[in-house]
Amino acid sequence: MKVLGEYLSRENIRKFMKYCLTGGSSFVIEYLLFFLANEVLGLYYVLANAIVYTITFWFSFLVNKYFTFRSKGKMGSQLYRFVLLYAFNMVVTNGMFFLLSDVVGIPPLIGKVFVSGMVVLWNFPIYRRFIYK
């Protein structure tokens, strides 16, 4: 129960709200770029997703470090852990994206929303406990 109480503290709720705000901003940028890459430029959706995900990397890292978590930790070690998580997320999201779109038949623009929502669930606790601690 101690862990649950820790997650429901006023400070963590405030951080989660900021995380949702920054994540929402990041998602809007990512989704618009994905739309342009996939629909306008005609790139294969998995390739478009990987390119866009890489572009939004710095925005996400810096906004979460300085705004959401107000972390004073060492940039290098946080960046290293963030890169590892980002790489993991890219592999998982592209795999899920492929399954949803090519196997299940969900259009990529809808699959992108679903896959991005999944990442939100595990990123916050990982950011809080391991990256921006």
Side-chain angles (χ1 to χ4, degrees):
M1 287 312 256
K2 180 182 175 189
V3 173
L4 183 60
E6 182 181 324
Y7 277 101
L8 295 177
S9 72
R10 182 176 303 245
E11 178 186 347
N12 274 331
I13 291 172
R14 183 179 47 78
K15 283 181 183 177
F16 185 73
M17 298 302 282
K18 284 179 153 183
Y19 169 75
C20 289
L21 177 66
T22 59
S25 301
S26 184
F27 176 75
V28 167
I29 293 167
E30 188 176 324
Y31 193 80
L32 290 173
L33 290 174
F34 175 77
F35 176 82
L36 289 172
N38 180 245
E39 296 291 319
V40 177
L41 298 177
L43 294 178
Y44 179 59
Y45 70 89
V46 174
L47 176 61
N49 190 56
I51 291 169
V52 168
Y53 206 66
T54 302
I55 290 170
T56 58
F57 169 89
W58 285 105
F59 175 80
S60 182
F61 175 75
L62 294 171
V63 169
N64 278 302
K65 177 174 176 52
Y66 293 112
F67 175 73
T68 303
F69 296 96
R70 297 191 186 272
S71 176
K72 306 263 192 261
K74 293 182 180 178
M75 173 86 79
S77 61
Q78 290 177 338
L79 185 58
Y80 174 74
R81 291 188 298 264
F82 194 80
V83 165
L84 292 176
L85 177 62
Y86 231 69
F88 170 80
N89 284 344
M90 187 179 299
V91 169
V92 170
T93 58
N94 278 331
M96 288 299 299
F97 217 172
F98 176 79
L99 287 173
L100 288 173
S101 293
D102 284 10
V103 176
V104 178
I106 295 174
L109 290 174
I110 295 170
K112 176 74 174 158
V113 174
F114 179 75
V115 169
S116 295
M118 286 179 17
V119 172
V120 168
L121 298 177
W122 64 73
N123 271 2
F124 179 74
I126 292 171
Y127 283 176
R128 188 177 111 1
R129 292 185 83 56
F130 300 108
I131 295 177
Y132 301 112
K133 57 183 176 167

